[in-house]
């Protein structure tokens, strides 16, 4: 598949997701290549008057900058603590619509926005499908700079292989909140809830990329079209 094909597939996924937005909604604006295409699509519809009175809540500084450039009115969770619908991407998605997110480094804000949302629509190409999370992607783990080495050792002690995320210029990646990210490989994760609990309980870890029970809809797009999977339609949910 060429890079042009991939862009077209991601654009199709973005259009499909933005179709869920209705005038008057508070909308969470995700981060990542596919999610930013959805932001552009939303800006276009607002500019043409096909949607009105939509307010966005961005999940990263980069998303905020793009939204402002496109003329999308923005608000905050303090002004609107409940979000009607959020559109975001994911790095890996299992059959139960559990996610690994944070490849772009905005996992903390993305998780805050997701947990405040009535609906979370995840858009992805077919390559993001996974039978077991952790098979293809490490779990991004955001830690405060103070004592990050102790978090590194903790992750090793529970079976992980953490690596400090670096930028292309060789400097350490810093999140919008000024934190460090440890990308931690666990291999295929047998018990997502156990691992998430271990990470949640560790002081110094401010967020991790395991998003449990947050996606209400996943839209997969490929060359042959798009598939909408609703959590409400899954067995055992």
């Amino acid at each position: 598949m060429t890079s042009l094909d991939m862009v077209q597939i991601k654009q199709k996924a973005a259009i499909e997701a933005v179709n869920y937005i209705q005038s008057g909604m508070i909308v969470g604006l995700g981060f990542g290549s596919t999610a930013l295409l959805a932001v552009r699509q939303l800006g276009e519809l607002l500019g043409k008057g096909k949607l009105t009175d939509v307010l966005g809540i961005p999940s990263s500084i980069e998303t905020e900058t793009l939204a402002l450039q496109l003329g999308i009115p923005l608000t905050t969770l303090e002004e609107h603590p409940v979000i009607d619908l959020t559109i975001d991407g994911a790095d890996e998605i299992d059959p139960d619509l559990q996610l690994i997110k944070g490849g772009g480094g905005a996992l903390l804000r993305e998780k805050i926005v997701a947990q405040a949302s009535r609906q979370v629509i995840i858009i992805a190409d077919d390559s993001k499908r996974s039978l077991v999370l952790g098979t293809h992607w490490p779990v991004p783990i955001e830690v405060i700079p103070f004592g990050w080495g102790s978090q590194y050792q903790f992750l090793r002690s529970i079976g992980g292989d953490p690596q400090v995320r670096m930028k292309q210029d060789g400097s350490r990646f810093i999140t919008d909140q000024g934190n460090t990210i440890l990308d931690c490989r666990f291999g295929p994760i047998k018990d997502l809830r156990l691992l998430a609990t271990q990470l949640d309980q560790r002081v110094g870890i401010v967020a991790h990329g395991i998003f449990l029970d947050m996606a209400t809809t996943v839209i997969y797009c490929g060359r042959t079209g798009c598939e909408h999977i609703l959590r409400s339609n899954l067995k055992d949910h």
Side-chain angles (χ1 to χ4, degrees), residues 166-233:
M166 309 297 286
K167 296 193 293 186
Q168 290 184 347
D169 64 7
S171 62
R172 185 180 301 175
F173 180 90
I174 303 297
T175 70
D176 288 347
Q177 274 62 49
N179 295 320
T180 295
I181 288 185
L182 302 176
D183 288 309
C184 192
R185 293 194 178 276
F186 292 96
I189 302 168
K190 295 180 180 180
D191 192 331
L192 282 173
R193 294 185 188 280
L194 173 61
L195 178 57
T197 297
Q198 289 175 308
L199 298 175
D200 286 333
Q201 292 178 342
R202 178 72 180 183
V203 177
I205 292 176
V206 295
H208 58 80
I210 300 174
F211 282 51
L212 294 177
D213 304 329
M214 289 188 171
T216 55
T217 302
V218 170
I219 302 174
Y220 288 113
C221 287
R223 284 179 170 174
T224 59
C226 294
E227 178 185 10
H228 296 233
I229 303 176
L230 281 60
R231 176 173 298 280
S232 58
N233 290 342

Side-chain angles (χ1 to χ4, degrees), residues 65 78 187 223:
T65 299
E78 287 68 47
R223 284 179 170 174

Side-chain angles (χ1 to χ4, degrees), residues 15 18 55 62 79 95 101 122 131-132 166 227-228 230:
I15 292 171
V18 172
L55 294 176
E62 187 172 333
E79 295 172 324
K101 288 178 49 57
I122 298 296
L131 291 177
V132 182
M166 309 297 286
E227 178 185 10
H228 296 233
L230 281 60

Side-chain angles (χ1 to χ4, degrees), residues 149-166:
S150 66
Q151 315 311 336
Y152 184 97
Q153 294 301 326
F154 166 72
L155 294 171
R156 286 179 61 86
S157 76
I158 61 172
D161 178 19
Q163 300 292 326
V164 179
R165 185 178 296 186
M166 309 297 286

Side-chain angles (χ1 to χ4, degrees), residues 38-222:
V39 175
R40 291 187 179 279
Q41 175 68 12
L42 173 59
E44 182 177 333
L45 294 180
L46 287 170
K48 293 179 178 178
K50 295 183 178 180
L51 286 172
T52 58
D53 301 320
V54 172
L55 294 176
I57 297 181
S59 60
S60 75
I61 292 174
E62 187 172 333
T63 304
E64 178 180 356
T65 299
L66 176 61
L68 290 172
Q69 290 174 350
L70 296 171
I72 299 173
L74 299 181
T75 186
T76 66
L77 280 168
E78 287 68 47
E79 295 172 324
H80 294 91
V82 178
I83 297 172
D84 294 304
L85 182 151
T86 287
I87 298 173
D88 209 344
D91 301 307
E92 195 172 357
I93 308 167
D94 77 6
D96 293 322
L97 307 191
Q98 312 295 23
L99 317 171
I100 289 179
K101 288 178 49 57
L107 60 153
L108 175 57
R109 289 194 184 187
E110 287 174 335
K111 189 170 276 190
I112 291 171
V113 168
Q115 73 179 3
S117 302
R118 292 191 176 102
Q119 298 182 69
V120 176
I121 298 177
I122 298 296
I123 48 180
D125 60 85
D126 284 328
S127 70
K128 303 302 175 65
R129 295 179 188 259
S130 176
L131 291 177
V132 182
L133 292 187
T135 302
H136 306 295
W137 277 81
V139 178
I141 297 170
E142 186 166 340
V143 300
I144 66 169
F146 177 79
W148 71 265
S150 66
Q151 315 311 336
Y152 184 97
Q153 294 301 326
F154 166 72
L155 294 171
R156 286 179 61 86
S157 76
I158 61 172
D161 178 19
Q163 300 292 326
V164 179
R165 185 178 296 186
M166 309 297 286
K167 296 193 293 186
Q168 290 184 347
D169 64 7
S171 62
R172 185 180 301 175
F173 180 90
I174 303 297
T175 70
D176 288 347
Q177 274 62 49
N179 295 320
T180 295
I181 288 185
L182 302 176
D183 288 309
C184 192
R185 293 194 178 276
F186 292 96
I189 302 168
K190 295 180 180 180
D191 192 331
L192 282 173
R193 294 185 188 280
L194 173 61
L195 178 57
T197 297
Q198 289 175 308
L199 298 175
D200 286 333
Q201 292 178 342
R202 178 72 180 183
V203 177
I205 292 176
V206 295
H208 58 80
I210 300 174
F211 282 51
L212 294 177
D213 304 329
M214 289 188 171
T216 55
T217 302
V218 170
I219 302 174
Y220 288 113
C221 287

